[in-house]
Amino acid sequence: MEENKLECPVATAVSLFGTKWKAQIIRDLIESKNTSIRFSEFKNTIPNISDRMLSQSLKELEKDQLIKRTLVDASPPRAEYSLTEMGENLSKVLLDLYNWGKEYQDRYMKEGDVENE
């Protein structure tokens, strides 16, 4: 798989944040304006994500160095997540994707169109 990543930078980018859940996690962190977010806060802002999928997505994003996990010495201990510098660089990319997606929805998708949901 490493060989494929080197062949196409777009494929690399999409493989890192291109899932439904990862994009929403990164979106939340961008919107937090440099404030860390806890696991439970993601659960409140990302509808229908299971604990398992959220945990897996956070671990993958951390492994790929797009987010960092900080352990907070509290009772009970907790983890908080924030963007790395490379993760912060996704802000413009995701804004461009948002604008493209919105334009596509407005042109080609009708509200209530079951096939496109």
Side-chain angles (χ1 to χ4, degrees), residues 62-109:
E62 183 181 13
K63 179 181 121 335
D64 292 331
Q65 301 179 39
L66 297 178
I67 67 171
K68 58 187 168 191
R69 181 177 184 255
T70 304
L71 293 175
V72 177
D73 187 20
S75 183
R78 67 177 187 268
E80 295 181 344
Y81 299 88
S82 57
L83 292 171
T84 62
E85 182 181 347
M86 189 58 79
E88 289 174 4
N89 291 341
L90 282 172
S91 182
K92 183 179 179 334
V93 173
L94 287 181
L95 179 60
D96 288 343
L97 279 172
Y98 172 88
N99 290 333
W100 183 89
K102 180 73 174 127
E103 180 181 351
Y104 184 90
Q105 287 175 333
D106 292 345
R107 282 189 189 190
Y108 302 111
M109 297 175 76

Side-chain angles (χ1 to χ4, degrees), residues 16 27 30 33 38 43-44 46 58 114 116:
L16 292 173
R27 175 209 59 203
I30 290 169
K33 306 273 191 230
R38 295 190 318 235
K43 289 288 292 178
N44 291 333
I46 303 174
L58 289 167
V114 177
N116 290 322

Side-chain angles (χ1 to χ4, degrees), residues 5 11-19 22 26 60-61 64 66:
K5 285 185 180 181
T12 298
V14 170
S15 74
L16 292 173
F17 72 88
T19 70
K22 289 180 183 179
I26 293 171
E60 290 173 5
L61 288 167
D64 292 331
L66 297 178

